[in-house]
Amino acid sequence: MNDLEQLSLSAQAEFDAAPTPAELENAKARYLGKSGRLTELLKALGALPVEQKKTRGAEINLAKSRIEAALQTRRDSLAAAELDAQLQAEALDVTLPGRQRGGGGLHPVSRTIERIEAIFGSMGFDVAEGPEIETDWMSFTALNNPENHPARSMQDTFYVDVKDAQGRWLNLRPHTSPMQVRYARAHAARHASRLAEGQPMPEVRVIAPGRAYRVDSDATHSPMFHQIEGLWLGANVSFKDLKVVFASLVREFFETDDFDVRFRPSFFPFTEPSAEIDIRFGSGPLAGRWLEVAGSGQVHPTVVRNFGLDPEAQIGFAFGIGADRFAMLRYGIDDLRLIFDGDLRFLAQFN
Ligand code: 2NL
């Protein structure tokens, strides 16, 4: 092996060993730079006799092009490795699932209330609002509960450690009726001048959905539950209207025509006469059983008077339904605890 072949091999070895483009350029300078090893050989050519100069010159040029080729090869492979590394660093797994916004949903009881509001809305009913902490008068007296009625007792109703202007403990409303009492009283006040002249007033048509509280806790009762009460008062509103309204509710809420409605005599202090409302589906998972779904009745004259209205001129009905039970019947929920536990595995099914 002559000196030029050795030089080419050692250049090639140094180029291949250069780990970065900068070090490769340093190695290049050691061979092809101003005072590089190959450049020195070219400079030395001048001292040779003419005959040798030709052959030696050709050999050196051959070695030079080999070294240049080796340099280019190494440059290319370093550039390719750099690109590879960059691509690797910026790699994006397009098969990864996208990050999603956690989508919420309405609780089945909220859905039930919203749907029932829409159904009653289509029948001309307004939606009342009102506080959950109430006065004794709003929760009991206005509704014709006698002073010593058991519903007023600490065993049945939650009291708040604050007294009202009458010196009576405030309560957590045991039904949503107080909202209707407030609504009906505001309605009567708004139309007071017409009523004083013996003129008719617009009918009261309202529902009162919301939370209610009772000292009651077992497999089928929660101390906080949801109720939807309804009230329709006018010059000539009867049980016939109640039956039509209630049947419309059942038809639209349960999305079926295949059911019967039955009134069963009952008792509430705020209605007279009073009736439980039962329904029985003719088909579907609930078919064949009478289900008790609401309490109802003709609004008691004392209650009408407490609205600020004349029971001789205003008559009508009221009812109360359990929204939690309606949700359970509609969505096939078999355990009341699922309604109140807030377990997302259950709730996500309603999104
Ligand atoms: C039940 C009973 C009922 C009412 C609620 C009512 C409201 C006013 C006046 C008269 Cl402002 N009555 N509400 C009437 C009858 C029954 O609910 O067991 N509900 C689940």
Side-chain angles (χ1 to χ4, degrees), residues 143 177 180-181 227 229-231 268 270-271 276 294-297 299 303 307 318-322:
L143 294 156
S177 324
Q180 292 171 301
V181 175
Q227 204 189 23
E229 290 210 358
L231 173 68
F268 303 107
F270 27 87
T271 47
E276 302 285 348
S296 68
V299 181
V303 176
F307 290 161
F319 60 86
I321 68 181

Side-chain angles (χ1 to χ4, degrees), residues 117-128:
E117 285 177 2
I119 293 165
F120 276 103
S122 76
M123 294 189 277
F125 281 74
D126 201 358
V127 179

Side-chain angles (χ1 to χ4, degrees), residues 138 142-143 175-182 184 206 208 214 225-231 266-276 292-300 303-304 307 317-323:
M138 284 290 171
L143 294 156
H175 35 219
T176 60
S177 324
M179 288 193 272
Q180 292 171 301
V181 175
R182 291 171 183 281
V206 66
R214 287 188 198 170
F225 59 101
H226 299 88
Q227 204 189 23
I228 303 172
E229 290 210 358
L231 173 68
S266 185
F267 176 83
F268 303 107
F270 27 87
T271 47
E272 181 59 35
S274 303
E276 302 285 348
E292 189 180 314
V293 291
S296 68
Q298 181 174 297
V299 181
H300 194 286
V303 176
V304 176
F307 290 161
F317 63 78
F319 60 86
I321 68 181

